[in-house]
Amino acid sequence: MENISGKIPVTILTGFLGAGKTTLLNNIIKKYSNKRFAVIENEFGEIGIDGGLIVGNIENMYELSNGCICCNLSDGLQETLNNLLTSRYKFDNLLIETTGIADPAGVIDNFLAYEEFHNKFVIDSVICLADAMTYVESSNQQSEVHRQLAVADIIVLNKIEDVTPERGELVKKLIRSVNPTAKMYAVSHADISNCDIIETFAYTSQNIEKLVVDFKNATPLNFELSEMSDNNLMFATNPKNKHNNIFQHSIVSEGFTIYGNLDAQKFVNWLQAVLQYNSQSVYRVKGILSIADSNRRQILQSVRQFFIVEEGQEWKKDEQRFTKLVFIGKKLDREAIEKYLKSMLV
């Protein structure tokens, strides 16, 4: 089923090595058996789709027994998308599994920046799979883990059965400190039978608007893990560096509310400059804009250097108009951002 815009929903599945992405992918295909998926996998040849589902290999695409198709991302995403669109297969949902060390923003860019794909597809959500057992270690060692979490709309915390309740709660808090806006599910064996995964349309203006309105700043967590009483929370440390067992990250979520109307051109010029020159530190922006000479809310969202703005609901006649933005990124300068926003008020 296509969404109301007539575009095909795209679900992007990311997560670090060993988190269980392929198990999750197989579970999604089996759970939503009424859907005709097209699946793009980076690692098809090694740990791909459940072999029991494969019935044939045609035109470099794997046909699955439930009517879905799967193809290998070997020729680049754009070429693969074109191959899917011109193939004889009909599909109503697209699933893309990224590599374990990939920044999913590169995949998202294709659907925001290229008109031919933006006209055919709509991003449904970005799902990040996190490993409850190894999250703390991998997030301290690999910056990609934070990027994957920061752009996610849904976070599936896997292998929760393999950690103590105390450890599980700790990991949830750490994840929330990176991305407080995403919906989170704690599961075992990547079992998403009780989770809403497909066609959540987290990227729609309605969802973004509600999320931004409800947003409250998250407090970054910095604490000594060795202070935890549960031995399962202890990690090997280098005795020469006492800071090795402190979990800390520079990812922050900052919310800004500015009352009044913005000058549209000044804001666009400023945002383009911010995203262009800070693409490695500003991971995602979501927001509601009050633009002068417009009687509707403008809903903004960006991933890396690309952004889109869609019309939201009308402002009420007696409502105090405001702009509310949520930035997720690395070492954000709150004071500078707030200063620039206020300078663009009409």
Side-chain angles (χ1 to χ4, degrees):
M1 183 183 80
E2 296 180 352
N3 75 329
I4 56 175
S5 68
K7 300 179 183 181
I8 299 171
V10 180
T11 300
I12 299 169
L13 177 59
T14 186
F16 208 64
L17 295 169
K21 292 192 304 300
T22 301
T23 301
L24 175 59
L25 181 62
N26 283 304
N27 287 344
I28 291 174
I29 293 174
K30 293 173 182 176
K31 174 181 177 178
Y32 297 94
S33 58
N34 62 321
K35 303 293 182 185
R36 291 180 63 87
F37 289 109
V39 182
I40 298 177
E41 268 207 287
N42 271 289
E43 302 162 342
F44 188 93
E46 298 178 7
I47 53 170
I49 291 294
D50 182 353
L53 291 173
I54 298 175
V55 297
N57 182 1
I58 304 172
E59 301 171 352
N60 296 319
M61 296 183 185
Y62 293 80
E63 187 176 2
L64 307 184
S65 58
N66 59 359
C68 301
I69 55 172
C70 181
C71 48
N72 191 353
L73 188 59
S74 57
D75 299 321
L77 179 59
Q78 293 180 34
E79 184 173 346
T80 302
L81 290 172
N82 282 320
N83 290 339
L84 281 172
L85 290 172
T86 57
S87 72
R88 62 183 176 84
Y89 291 99
K90 300 298 181 183
F91 57 96
D92 45 38
N93 287 79
L94 175 62
L95 295 175
I96 302 177
E97 179 187 355
T98 68
T99 64
I101 57 174
D103 180 355
V107 176
I108 299 169
D109 289 350
N110 289 274
F111 300 99
L112 299 182
Y114 296 96
E115 187 175 358
E116 64 268 35
F117 300 133
H118 184 70
N119 290 337
K120 295 288 186 179
F121 298 98
V122 59
I123 297 178
D124 182 4
S125 64
V126 178
I127 302 172
C128 180
L129 190 69
D131 188 327
M133 294 183 65
T134 64
Y135 170 76
V136 175
E137 297 93 324
S138 60
S139 63
N140 274 333
Q141 297 167 4
Q142 303 288 341
S143 60
E144 290 86 355
V145 176
H146 291 151
R147 293 193 187 101
Q148 292 168 353
L149 285 171
V151 301
D153 308 291
I154 299 171
I155 297 170
V156 178
L157 181 58
N158 195 28
K159 306 179 185 179
I160 196 68
E161 80 284 0
D162 292 327
V163 300
T164 64
E166 292 80 7
R167 173 70 180 267
E169 290 303 311
L170 167 67
V171 174
K172 290 177 186 177
K173 290 178 181 179
L174 296 178
I175 290 174
R176 283 289 179 219
S177 73
V178 176
N179 186 346
T181 67
K183 181 178 292 185
M184 189 191 307
Y185 298 104
V187 304
S188 301
H189 309 294
D191 179 7
I192 43 85
S193 57
N194 295 318
C195 309
D196 292 326
I197 296 294
I198 296 300
E199 295 182 359
T200 62
F201 297 111
Y203 266 67
T204 61
S205 58
Q206 294 91 338
N207 277 337
I208 294 296
E209 187 173 3
K210 182 179 185 305
L211 181 151
V212 171
V213 169
D214 295 341
F215 175 79
K216 295 181 176 60
N217 275 14
T219 302
L221 298 180
N222 299 316
F223 53 85
E224 186 84 20
L225 290 178
S226 60
E227 293 177 359
M228 306 299 289
S229 59
D230 191 326
N231 289 333
N232 289 317
L233 297 178
M234 302 292 284
F235 301 99
T237 62
N238 181 348
K240 295 181 181 180
N241 184 356
K242 66 179 181 179
H243 297 294
N244 279 1
N245 64 339
I246 297 178
F247 180 93
Q248 53 187 346
H249 62 76
S250 56
I251 308 300
V252 294
S253 302
E254 294 284 3
F256 303 87
T257 301
I258 307 295
Y259 291 97
N261 298 320
L262 295 177
D263 181 293
Q265 193 58 56
K266 287 182 179 179
F267 177 79
V268 168
N269 292 342
W270 172 76
L271 184 63
Q272 287 177 333
V274 168
L275 298 180
Q276 179 180 353
Y277 295 108
N278 299 276
S279 61
Q280 298 304 309
S281 57
V282 180
Y283 297 154
R284 194 162 184 183
V285 183
K286 308 175 185 179
I288 300 169
L289 306 176
S290 177
I291 298 298
D293 302 322
S294 174
N295 63 347
R296 287 185 174 274
R297 298 183 181 192
Q298 304 298 311
I299 311 304
L300 163 76
Q301 57 177 315
S302 79
V303 177
R304 218 158 58 176
Q305 68 264 43
F306 297 105
F307 68 91
I308 57 175
V309 179
E310 299 175 296
E311 284 194 339
Q313 60 183 304
E314 288 190 3
W315 292 101
K316 298 176 182 177
K317 291 183 179 180
D318 58 347
E319 183 177 10
Q320 184 177 14
R321 291 173 60 151
F322 62 89
T323 289
K324 185 169 183 178
L325 294 171
V326 178
F327 283 74
I328 299 178
K330 187 176 183 180
K331 299 180 180 178
L332 300 177
D333 188 334
R334 180 179 179 85
E335 184 176 336
I337 294 173
E338 191 167 30
K339 177 181 177 181
Y340 277 108
L341 288 174
K342 288 180 178 179
S343 73
M344 290 178 278
L345 289 172
V346 176

